Amino acid sequence: ESSSEPGQWSTDRVPYAREIMDAVNDPDCHDIVIMSASQIGKTEILNNIIGYYIDYDPSPMMMMQPTLEMGQTWSKDRFAPMIRDTPCLIGKVMEASSRDSNNTILQKKFPGGLIAITGANSAASLASRPIRILLGDEIDRYPVSAGTEGDPVGLAEKRTSSFWNRKRIYVSTPTIKDVSRIEKLFKSGTMEYWHLACPRCGFYQPLEWEGLI
């Protein structure tokens, strides 16, 4: 339902995602930043990470979308189908119910953990809960401040401070150079690029527009 190509996930179809997802299991890596073009599977990578933690390493998680409305849309259109169609996750996360406060559109509990779905525009949804795994989707679309509380990324990061094994994963298509949130985070890390082999000589190099002319 989220792809033009039906069937099970195959990392071979998106080989650039393999090392990104492997970094989640690197104990020395706490922050993972993905700055990339649109529509190449960034949100699906986050979905896979969430599914992994639900099944293998249950933890308190937070999925942060630009707005609460977008969080609700992600929960219904991306998260719910993933749970429904993934055999190892079926039964671990119940469907949203008005009679069960543990499982709503914006909060899902499962054995050993939960996932809170928040909006960067809502300071209340970013506060008062310890989080081990923080996932920020399209962070360049976040408001400058969550109400009057300040930077939403900074507010969310405070929720992870009590976990020595925390993970913070940020993804976004960059916007304005030198202003972009994702660019600043990317430049603060190892700045790794996906390399492709030249069809003529086989030399591996990053894909740049100059090389396509």
Side-chain angles (χ1 to χ4, degrees), residues 103-212:
N103 288 286
T104 64
I105 292 175
L106 295 177
Q107 177 172 287
K108 310 285 186 179
K109 281 199 173 182
F110 46 86
L114 62 84
I115 179 165
I117 303 157
T118 64
N121 62 339
S122 171
S125 69
L126 300 175
S128 303
R129 64 179 91 215
I131 294 295
R132 178 189 166 201
I133 312 299
L134 172 63
L135 307 106
D137 197 6
E138 293 298 343
I139 67 170
D140 268 17
R141 299 174 65 182
Y142 290 2
V144 174
S145 177
T148 59
E149 299 296 321
D151 176 35
V153 173
L155 291 174
E157 286 184 346
K158 290 179 181 178
R159 308 276 71 79
T160 68
S161 60
S162 61
F163 289 90
W164 66 269
N165 56 349
R166 60 188 174 274
K167 296 286 182 181
R168 298 182 294 218
I169 303 103
Y170 303 111
V171 308
S172 188
T173 302
T175 51
I176 303 171
K177 185 175 178 60
D178 298 327
V179 177
S180 165
R181 267 198 183 96
I182 198 72
E183 181 191 34
K184 291 178 180 178
L185 289 172
F186 177 74
K187 287 183 175 180
S188 70
T190 55
M191 294 195 296
E192 299 174 31
Y193 290 85
W194 174 247
H195 285 55
L196 296 173
C198 173
R200 294 183 179 178
C201 67
F203 180 75
Y204 277 87
Q205 57 192 320
L207 185 63
E208 298 178 346
W209 288 115
E210 291 80 0
L212 300 177

